[in-house]
């Protein structure tokens, strides 16, 4: 090798730095902190970074993929738990607002709920969360209570900051009730009473031994503000005759005077379909109810009205006092299947069968349309009472006695407690519905009522259907009972969906009856 070649090689060595491999790079020493684990370690170190033990996630693809799937599943489970928790919280807040009269904000958290519960129990809660009993608040109370107008006052010079219960003797129930009724739960947080003319005497009475004993006794029994419950009394059903005339206005006025003296909030009045639309279809007469409602308005009482689509009979004699409309009864003579029918073919005229809810057998109208037309007429006729807030609620009749039930326990058919009653599904319209349901199920021979369910006064163990391990638990029994109950539910859905259109933005009431431990509960 000559001198020129040696010189060129030396120049190349000086121009190109020596190749350095990644494992030989020296990084500055950093203080050792907490080593990340799990999901954080993978994302912080990167896919190609060596982890503890000298292995990277890419060294074992199956193990890394399994860990990734487990993390994704855990994230989904966490989301479901959070959604479930939020749903429970939302329902709790809604219940506290609706039934407990808690003034919770729209986006309330648990701090708001705890503060509201503490105030409801008679405690005081400051904005910073400080919580204490009213007897020990001393200088904390900021709100003031004026005994004359129940308003806040900014003047503290002439007021004595005390607990309201300490000024009232424990045995003085009248004053205590009056004051507690006039105060809202919020006003009980901190109360300041305007003193009597002799402030010194009042201050002395506060610190007297008797008052201190009362405070000690009340320490264990904090006052709780109970939500107000309105009281309504039902008026007699026979004060309106079959021609929709008020029978005895003077006796009605006397009755309302007595009720007003009892401080009731209002009365319940039943509007009978058999009176309002008694003689001619779609001709509604409301004159008697208008007269009655005007008297109620004069007494400044509220009204809860019942849309009664059933007949009314005296409980003692069983005599029918208010029947279904006469034109409906005339149709029933020619087509008795519009009424509920038992296995022996006996008809029950208390109300119309669910089977004609969508059958145009009432002079071109269905059962649902007949109910809706009456409700719509009532809403139009008494629109002024709805606007004034006098009519505050409407009860929708859904069956015999206005309750959502079959007339299976009719005394006119000979039923006596504790008989099991009979199925009421043997009119031709419900039988058509049963045949259709059985055909859809693929068992046309199931289109029949049970033939071993006993009679009105039978006991369950005396029948082959209701006895232990009876037919009620067979495939047919389950099918039949499901259809029978679903027909009831469908009737309620149909009627209430139209009632919601007729009485929009009005509180509606329904009666549902079910059996529990051989007792009927409505």
């Amino acid at each position: 090798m000559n001198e020129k070649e040696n010189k060129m090689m030396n120049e190349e060595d000086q121009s190109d730095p020596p190749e350095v491999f990644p494992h030989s790079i020296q990084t500055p020493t950093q203080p050792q902190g907490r080593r990340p684990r799990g999901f954080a370690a993978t994302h912080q170190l990167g896919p190609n970074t060596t982890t503890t033990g000298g292995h990277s996630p890419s060294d074992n693809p199956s193990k890394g993929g399994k860990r990734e799937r487990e993390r994704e599943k855990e994230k989904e489970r966490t989301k479901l738990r959070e959604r479930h928790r939020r749903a429970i919280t939302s329902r709790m807040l809604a219940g506290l607002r609706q039934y407990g009269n808690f003034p919770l904000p729209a986006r309330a958290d648990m701090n708001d709920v705890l503060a509201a519960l503490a105030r409801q129990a008679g405690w005081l809660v400051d904005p910073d969360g400080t919580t204490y009993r009213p007897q020990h608040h001393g200088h904390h109370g900021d709100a003031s209570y004026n005994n004359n107008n129940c308003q806040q006052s900014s003047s503290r010079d002439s007021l004595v900051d005390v607990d309201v219960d300490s000024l009232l003797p424990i045995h003085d129930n009248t004053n205590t009730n009056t004051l507690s009724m006039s105060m809202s739960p919020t006003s009980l947080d901190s109360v300041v009473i305007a003193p009597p003319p002799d402030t010194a005497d009042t201050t002395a009475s506060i610190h007297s031994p008797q008052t201190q004993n009362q405070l000690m006794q009340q320490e264990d029994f904090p006052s709780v503000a109970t939500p107000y419950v309105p009281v309504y009394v039902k008026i007699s059903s026979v004060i309106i005759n079959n021609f929709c005339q008020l029978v005895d206005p003077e006796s009605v006025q006397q009755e309302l005077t007595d009720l007003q003296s009892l401080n009731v909030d209002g009365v319940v009045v039943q509007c009978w379909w058999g009176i309002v639309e008694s003689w001619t279809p779609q001709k509604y007469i409301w004159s008697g109810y208008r007269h009655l409602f005007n008297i109620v308005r004069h007494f400044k009482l509220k009204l809860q009205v019942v849309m009664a689509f059933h007949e009314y009979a005296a409980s003692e004699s069983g005599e029918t006092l208010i029947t279904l409309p006469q034109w409906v009864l005339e149709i029933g003579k020619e087509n008795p299947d519009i009424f509920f029918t038992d296995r022996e073919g006996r008809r029950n005229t208390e109300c119309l069968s669910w089977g004609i809810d969508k059958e145009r057998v009432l002079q071109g109208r269905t059962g649902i349309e007949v109910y809706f037309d009456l409700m719509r007429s009532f809403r139009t006729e008494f629109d002024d009472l709805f606007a004034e807030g006098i009519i505050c609620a409407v009860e929708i009749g859904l069956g015999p006695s206005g309750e959502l039930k079959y007339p299976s326990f009719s005394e006119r058919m000979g039923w006596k407690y504790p008989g099991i009653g009979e199925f009421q599904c043997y009119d031709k319209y419900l039988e058509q519905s049963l045949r259709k349901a059985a055909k859809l199920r693929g068992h046309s021979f199931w289109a029949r009522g049970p033939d071993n369910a006993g009679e009105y006064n039978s006991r369950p163990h005396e029948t082959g259907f209701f006895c232990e391990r009876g037919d009620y638990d067979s495939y047919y029994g389950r099918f039949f009972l499901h259809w029978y109950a679903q027909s009831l539910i469908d009737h309620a859905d149909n009627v209430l969906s139209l009632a919601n259109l007729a009485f929009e933005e009005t509180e509606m009431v329904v009666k549902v009856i079910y059996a529990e431990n051989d007792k009927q509960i409505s």
Side-chain angles (χ1 to χ4, degrees), residues 378-404:
F378 177 84
R379 181 62 178 82
T380 303
E381 175 69 24
F382 299 103
D383 181 70
D384 56 328
L385 299 182
F386 281 95
E388 296 175 18
I390 295 178
I391 298 180
C392 58
V394 179
E395 180 182 320
I396 310 300
L398 296 175
S401 302
E403 302 167 347
L404 182 61

PDB file of all heavy atoms in Angstrom, residues 378-404:
ATOM      1  N   PHE A 378    -116.648  15.968  28.388  1.00  0.00           N
ATOM      2  CA  PHE A 378    -116.473  16.518  29.736  1.00  0.00           C
ATOM      3  C   PHE A 378    -115.378  17.578  29.743  1.00  0.00           C
ATOM      4  O   PHE A 378    -115.546  18.645  30.343  1.00  0.00           O
ATOM      5  CB  PHE A 378    -116.140  15.394  30.713  1.00  0.00           C
ATOM      6  CG  PHE A 378    -115.876  15.872  32.108  1.00  0.00           C
ATOM      7  CD1 PHE A 378    -116.916  16.108  32.987  1.00  0.00           C
ATOM      8  CD2 PHE A 378    -114.573  16.096  32.546  1.00  0.00           C
ATOM      9  CE1 PHE A 378    -116.670  16.542  34.282  1.00  0.00           C
ATOM     10  CE2 PHE A 378    -114.319  16.541  33.830  1.00  0.00           C
ATOM     11  CZ  PHE A 378    -115.373  16.764  34.698  1.00  0.00           C
ATOM     12  N   ARG A 379    -114.272  17.281  29.082  1.00  0.00           N
ATOM     13  CA  ARG A 379    -113.152  18.234  29.071  1.00  0.00           C
ATOM     14  C   ARG A 379    -113.547  19.548  28.387  1.00  0.00           C
ATOM     15  O   ARG A 379    -113.148  20.638  28.824  1.00  0.00           O
ATOM     16  CB  ARG A 379    -111.945  17.608  28.349  1.00  0.00           C
ATOM     17  CG  ARG A 379    -110.707  18.500  28.301  1.00  0.00           C
ATOM     18  CD  ARG A 379    -110.219  18.791  29.694  1.00  0.00           C
ATOM     19  NE  ARG A 379    -109.019  19.609  29.702  1.00  0.00           N
ATOM     20  CZ  ARG A 379    -109.001  20.947  29.582  1.00  0.00           C
ATOM     21  NH1 ARG A 379    -110.154  21.589  29.452  1.00  0.00           N
ATOM     22  NH2 ARG A 379    -107.881  21.616  29.615  1.00  0.00           N
ATOM     23  N   THR A 380    -114.349  19.466  27.338  1.00  0.00           N
ATOM     24  CA  THR A 380    -114.786  20.678  26.639  1.00  0.00           C
ATOM     25  C   THR A 380    -115.805  21.456  27.457  1.00  0.00           C
ATOM     26  O   THR A 380    -115.760  22.688  27.534  1.00  0.00           O
ATOM     27  CB  THR A 380    -115.378  20.294  25.276  1.00  0.00           C
ATOM     28  OG1 THR A 380    -114.398  19.566  24.528  1.00  0.00           O
ATOM     29  CG2 THR A 380    -115.783  21.533  24.493  1.00  0.00           C
ATOM     30  N   GLU A 381    -116.735  20.737  28.087  1.00  0.00           N
ATOM     31  CA  GLU A 381    -117.815  21.388  28.828  1.00  0.00           C
ATOM     32  C   GLU A 381    -117.285  22.159  30.035  1.00  0.00           C
ATOM     33  O   GLU A 381    -117.752  23.263  30.333  1.00  0.00           O
ATOM     34  CB  GLU A 381    -118.827  20.334  29.287  1.00  0.00           C
ATOM     35  CG  GLU A 381    -119.946  20.865  30.167  1.00  0.00           C
ATOM     36  CD  GLU A 381    -120.907  21.768  29.396  1.00  0.00           C
ATOM     37  OE1 GLU A 381    -120.985  21.633  28.151  1.00  0.00           O
ATOM     38  OE2 GLU A 381    -121.584  22.603  30.032  1.00  0.00           O
ATOM     39  N   PHE A 382    -116.309  21.607  30.732  1.00  0.00           N
ATOM     40  CA  PHE A 382    -115.824  22.215  31.964  1.00  0.00           C
ATOM     41  C   PHE A 382    -114.406  22.752  31.805  1.00  0.00           C
ATOM     42  O   PHE A 382    -113.590  22.681  32.733  1.00  0.00           O
ATOM     43  CB  PHE A 382    -115.886  21.201  33.104  1.00  0.00           C
ATOM     44  CG  PHE A 382    -117.277  20.703  33.395  1.00  0.00           C
ATOM     45  CD1 PHE A 382    -117.689  19.458  32.970  1.00  0.00           C
ATOM     46  CD2 PHE A 382    -118.194  21.511  34.060  1.00  0.00           C
ATOM     47  CE1 PHE A 382    -118.970  18.999  33.220  1.00  0.00           C
ATOM     48  CE2 PHE A 382    -119.477  21.065  34.322  1.00  0.00           C
ATOM     49  CZ  PHE A 382    -119.872  19.810  33.901  1.00  0.00           C
ATOM     50  N   ASP A 383    -114.140  23.301  30.651  1.00  0.00           N
ATOM     51  CA  ASP A 383    -112.812  23.855  30.389  1.00  0.00           C
ATOM     52  C   ASP A 383    -112.480  24.993  31.354  1.00  0.00           C
ATOM     53  O   ASP A 383    -111.326  25.171  31.739  1.00  0.00           O
ATOM     54  CB  ASP A 383    -112.734  24.353  28.943  1.00  0.00           C
ATOM     55  CG  ASP A 383    -111.368  24.912  28.604  1.00  0.00           C
ATOM     56  OD1 ASP A 383    -110.407  24.126  28.510  1.00  0.00           O
ATOM     57  OD2 ASP A 383    -111.251  26.146  28.429  1.00  0.00           O
ATOM     58  N   ASP A 384    -113.482  25.784  31.758  1.00  0.00           N
ATOM     59  CA  ASP A 384    -113.227  26.892  32.670  1.00  0.00           C
ATOM     60  C   ASP A 384    -112.763  26.414  34.032  1.00  0.00           C
ATOM     61  O   ASP A 384    -111.890  27.019  34.669  1.00  0.00           O
ATOM     62  CB  ASP A 384    -114.490  27.748  32.821  1.00  0.00           C
ATOM     63  CG  ASP A 384    -115.693  26.924  33.271  1.00  0.00           C
ATOM     64  OD1 ASP A 384    -115.773  25.734  32.905  1.00  0.00           O
ATOM     65  OD2 ASP A 384    -116.556  27.465  33.990  1.00  0.00           O
ATOM     66  N   LEU A 385    -113.310  25.275  34.502  1.00  0.00           N
ATOM     67  CA  LEU A 385    -112.895  24.749  35.802  1.00  0.00           C
ATOM     68  C   LEU A 385    -111.486  24.166  35.745  1.00  0.00           C
ATOM     69  O   LEU A 385    -110.741  24.226  36.727  1.00  0.00           O
ATOM     70  CB  LEU A 385    -113.889  23.691  36.275  1.00  0.00           C
ATOM     71  CG  LEU A 385    -115.339  24.170  36.472  1.00  0.00           C
ATOM     72  CD1 LEU A 385    -116.204  23.046  36.993  1.00  0.00           C
ATOM     73  CD2 LEU A 385    -115.389  25.357  37.426  1.00  0.00           C
ATOM     74  N   PHE A 386    -111.128  23.613  34.598  1.00  0.00           N
ATOM     75  CA  PHE A 386    -109.752  23.137  34.434  1.00  0.00           C
ATOM     76  C   PHE A 386    -108.786  24.317  34.420  1.00  0.00           C
ATOM     77  O   PHE A 386    -107.706  24.256  35.014  1.00  0.00           O
ATOM     78  CB  PHE A 386    -109.615  22.334  33.141  1.00  0.00           C
ATOM     79  CG  PHE A 386    -110.118  20.925  33.233  1.00  0.00           C
ATOM     80  CD1 PHE A 386    -111.405  20.606  32.831  1.00  0.00           C
ATOM     81  CD2 PHE A 386    -109.307  19.920  33.728  1.00  0.00           C
ATOM     82  CE1 PHE A 386    -111.868  19.306  32.910  1.00  0.00           C
ATOM     83  CE2 PHE A 386    -109.764  18.613  33.817  1.00  0.00           C
ATOM     84  CZ  PHE A 386    -111.056  18.304  33.401  1.00  0.00           C
ATOM     85  N   ALA A 387    -109.175  25.391  33.728  1.00  0.00           N
ATOM     86  CA  ALA A 387    -108.291  26.560  33.637  1.00  0.00           C
ATOM     87  C   ALA A 387    -108.095  27.217  34.998  1.00  0.00           C
ATOM     88  O   ALA A 387    -107.000  27.697  35.310  1.00  0.00           O
ATOM     89  CB  ALA A 387    -108.870  27.562  32.641  1.00  0.00           C
ATOM     90  N   GLU A 388    -109.145  27.236  35.845  1.00  0.00           N
ATOM     91  CA  GLU A 388    -109.039  27.833  37.176  1.00  0.00           C
ATOM     92  C   GLU A 388    -108.352  26.926  38.179  1.00  0.00           C
ATOM     93  O   GLU A 388    -108.044  27.359  39.290  1.00  0.00           O
ATOM     94  CB  GLU A 388    -110.434  28.183  37.693  1.00  0.00           C
ATOM     95  CG  GLU A 388    -111.149  29.241  36.866  1.00  0.00           C
ATOM     96  CD  GLU A 388    -112.576  29.473  37.344  1.00  0.00           C
ATOM     97  OE1 GLU A 388    -112.876  29.089  38.490  1.00  0.00           O
ATOM     98  OE2 GLU A 388    -113.382  30.024  36.576  1.00  0.00           O
ATOM     99  N   GLY A 389    -108.118  25.676  37.796  1.00  0.00           N
ATOM    100  CA  GLY A 389    -107.475  24.746  38.721  1.00  0.00           C
ATOM    101  C   GLY A 389    -108.417  24.132  39.727  1.00  0.00           C
ATOM    102  O   GLY A 389    -107.962  23.491  40.683  1.00  0.00           O
ATOM    103  N   ILE A 390    -109.726  24.308  39.560  1.00  0.00           N
ATOM    104  CA  ILE A 390    -110.687  23.726  40.500  1.00  0.00           C
ATOM    105  C   ILE A 390    -110.730  22.208  40.323  1.00  0.00           C
ATOM    106  O   ILE A 390    -110.741  21.452  41.296  1.00  0.00           O
ATOM    107  CB  ILE A 390    -112.075  24.357  40.299  1.00  0.00           C
ATOM    108  CG1 ILE A 390    -112.027  25.846  40.662  1.00  0.00           C
ATOM    109  CG2 ILE A 390    -113.131  23.638  41.131  1.00  0.00           C
ATOM    110  CD1 ILE A 390    -113.334  26.570  40.447  1.00  0.00           C
ATOM    111  N   ILE A 391    -110.762  21.738  39.070  1.00  0.00           N
ATOM    112  CA  ILE A 391    -110.659  20.301  38.806  1.00  0.00           C
ATOM    113  C   ILE A 391    -109.178  19.970  38.766  1.00  0.00           C
ATOM    114  O   ILE A 391    -108.469  20.322  37.825  1.00  0.00           O
ATOM    115  CB  ILE A 391    -111.354  19.924  37.488  1.00  0.00           C
ATOM    116  CG1 ILE A 391    -112.853  20.246  37.560  1.00  0.00           C
ATOM    117  CG2 ILE A 391    -111.158  18.443  37.197  1.00  0.00           C
ATOM    118  CD1 ILE A 391    -113.617  19.912  36.287  1.00  0.00           C
ATOM    119  N   CYS A 392    -108.710  19.293  39.797  1.00  0.00           N
ATOM    120  CA  CYS A 392    -107.272  19.042  39.921  1.00  0.00           C
ATOM    121  C   CYS A 392    -106.882  17.625  39.537  1.00  0.00           C
ATOM    122  O   CYS A 392    -105.690  17.341  39.350  1.00  0.00           O
ATOM    123  CB  CYS A 392    -106.814  19.328  41.350  1.00  0.00           C
ATOM    124  SG  CYS A 392    -107.679  18.343  42.594  1.00  0.00           S
ATOM    125  N   ALA A 393    -107.843  16.716  39.418  1.00  0.00           N
ATOM    126  CA  ALA A 393    -107.517  15.334  39.063  1.00  0.00           C
ATOM    127  C   ALA A 393    -108.754  14.664  38.483  1.00  0.00           C
ATOM    128  O   ALA A 393    -109.893  15.024  38.818  1.00  0.00           O
ATOM    129  CB  ALA A 393    -107.005  14.551  40.266  1.00  0.00           C
ATOM    130  N   VAL A 394    -108.521  13.679  37.601  1.00  0.00           N
ATOM    131  CA  VAL A 394    -109.601  12.916  36.981  1.00  0.00           C
ATOM    132  C   VAL A 394    -109.283  11.432  37.142  1.00  0.00           C
ATOM    133  O   VAL A 394    -108.195  10.977  36.783  1.00  0.00           O
ATOM    134  CB  VAL A 394    -109.763  13.258  35.487  1.00  0.00           C
ATOM    135  CG1 VAL A 394    -110.876  12.420  34.867  1.00  0.00           C
ATOM    136  CG2 VAL A 394    -110.060  14.742  35.307  1.00  0.00           C
ATOM    137  N   GLU A 395    -110.235  10.695  37.706  1.00  0.00           N
ATOM    138  CA  GLU A 395    -110.087   9.243  37.828  1.00  0.00           C
ATOM    139  C   GLU A 395    -110.772   8.564  36.653  1.00  0.00           C
ATOM    140  O   GLU A 395    -111.915   8.887  36.323  1.00  0.00           O
ATOM    141  CB  GLU A 395    -110.680   8.766  39.149  1.00  0.00           C
ATOM    142  CG  GLU A 395    -110.576   7.263  39.364  1.00  0.00           C
ATOM    143  CD  GLU A 395    -111.213   6.811  40.659  1.00  0.00           C
ATOM    144  OE1 GLU A 395    -111.052   7.524  41.678  1.00  0.00           O
ATOM    145  OE2 GLU A 395    -111.885   5.763  40.663  1.00  0.00           O
ATOM    146  N   ILE A 396    -110.094   7.619  36.034  1.00  0.00           N
ATOM    147  CA  ILE A 396    -110.611   6.932  34.856  1.00  0.00           C
ATOM    148  C   ILE A 396    -111.114   5.558  35.267  1.00  0.00           C
ATOM    149  O   ILE A 396    -110.352   4.740  35.801  1.00  0.00           O
ATOM    150  CB  ILE A 396    -109.520   6.794  33.771  1.00  0.00           C
ATOM    151  CG1 ILE A 396    -108.855   8.153  33.508  1.00  0.00           C
ATOM    152  CG2 ILE A 396    -110.115   6.229  32.496  1.00  0.00           C
ATOM    153  CD1 ILE A 396    -109.795   9.225  33.024  1.00  0.00           C
ATOM    154  N   GLY A 397    -112.402   5.298  35.029  1.00  0.00           N
ATOM    155  CA  GLY A 397    -112.963   3.981  35.314  1.00  0.00           C
ATOM    156  C   GLY A 397    -112.488   2.954  34.303  1.00  0.00           C
ATOM    157  O   GLY A 397    -112.528   3.195  33.093  1.00  0.00           O
ATOM    158  N   LEU A 398    -112.062   1.806  34.783  1.00  0.00           N
ATOM    159  CA  LEU A 398    -111.496   0.776  33.905  1.00  0.00           C
ATOM    160  C   LEU A 398    -112.220  -0.563  33.987  1.00  0.00           C
ATOM    161  O   LEU A 398    -111.780  -1.522  33.345  1.00  0.00           O
ATOM    162  CB  LEU A 398    -110.010   0.560  34.244  1.00  0.00           C
ATOM    163  CG  LEU A 398    -109.085   1.746  34.000  1.00  0.00           C
ATOM    164  CD1 LEU A 398    -107.671   1.423  34.487  1.00  0.00           C
ATOM    165  CD2 LEU A 398    -109.054   2.120  32.524  1.00  0.00           C
ATOM    166  N   GLY A 399    -113.310  -0.635  34.741  1.00  0.00           N
ATOM    167  CA  GLY A 399    -114.002  -1.906  34.851  1.00  0.00           C
ATOM    168  C   GLY A 399    -115.090  -1.846  35.894  1.00  0.00           C
ATOM    169  O   GLY A 399    -115.536  -0.760  36.301  1.00  0.00           O
ATOM    170  N   PRO A 400    -115.574  -2.991  36.385  1.00  0.00           N
ATOM    171  CA  PRO A 400    -116.599  -2.999  37.440  1.00  0.00           C
ATOM    172  C   PRO A 400    -116.107  -2.283  38.683  1.00  0.00           C
ATOM    173  O   PRO A 400    -114.946  -2.436  39.084  1.00  0.00           O
ATOM    174  CB  PRO A 400    -116.837  -4.493  37.687  1.00  0.00           C
ATOM    175  CG  PRO A 400    -115.628  -5.173  37.154  1.00  0.00           C
ATOM    176  CD  PRO A 400    -115.148  -4.354  36.010  1.00  0.00           C
ATOM    177  N   SER A 401    -116.991  -1.467  39.266  1.00  0.00           N
ATOM    178  CA  SER A 401    -116.650  -0.623  40.424  1.00  0.00           C
ATOM    179  C   SER A 401    -115.559   0.378  40.088  1.00  0.00           C
ATOM    180  O   SER A 401    -114.938   0.954  40.986  1.00  0.00           O
ATOM    181  CB  SER A 401    -116.215  -1.481  41.625  1.00  0.00           C
ATOM    182  OG  SER A 401    -117.234  -2.385  41.992  1.00  0.00           O
ATOM    183  N   GLY A 402    -115.295   0.605  38.815  1.00  0.00           N
ATOM    184  CA  GLY A 402    -114.268   1.541  38.392  1.00  0.00           C
ATOM    185  C   GLY A 402    -112.860   0.992  38.485  1.00  0.00           C
ATOM    186  O   GLY A 402    -111.898   1.717  38.233  1.00  0.00           O
ATOM    187  N   GLU A 403    -112.717  -0.285  38.838  1.00  0.00           N
ATOM    188  CA  GLU A 403    -111.406  -0.890  39.049  1.00  0.00           C
ATOM    189  C   GLU A 403    -111.007  -1.744  37.858  1.00  0.00           C
ATOM    190  O   GLU A 403    -111.856  -2.280  37.144  1.00  0.00           O
ATOM    191  CB  GLU A 403    -111.420  -1.744  40.324  1.00  0.00           C
ATOM    192  CG  GLU A 403    -111.797  -0.964  41.570  1.00  0.00           C
ATOM    193  CD  GLU A 403    -112.122  -1.868  42.745  1.00  0.00           C
ATOM    194  OE1 GLU A 403    -112.285  -3.088  42.516  1.00  0.00           O
ATOM    195  OE2 GLU A 403    -112.232  -1.362  43.868  1.00  0.00           O
ATOM    196  N   LEU A 404    -109.706  -1.856  37.652  1.00  0.00           N
ATOM    197  CA  LEU A 404    -109.183  -2.691  36.578  1.00  0.00           C
ATOM    198  C   LEU A 404    -109.221  -4.142  37.035  1.00  0.00           C
ATOM    199  O   LEU A 404    -108.274  -4.657  37.635  1.00  0.00           O
ATOM    200  CB  LEU A 404    -107.754  -2.271  36.210  1.00  0.00           C
ATOM    201  CG  LEU A 404    -107.111  -3.051  35.058  1.00  0.00           C
ATOM    202  CD1 LEU A 404    -107.894  -2.895  33.767  1.00  0.00           C
ATOM    203  CD2 LEU A 404    -105.664  -2.620  34.867  1.00  0.00           C
TER     204      LEU A 404
END
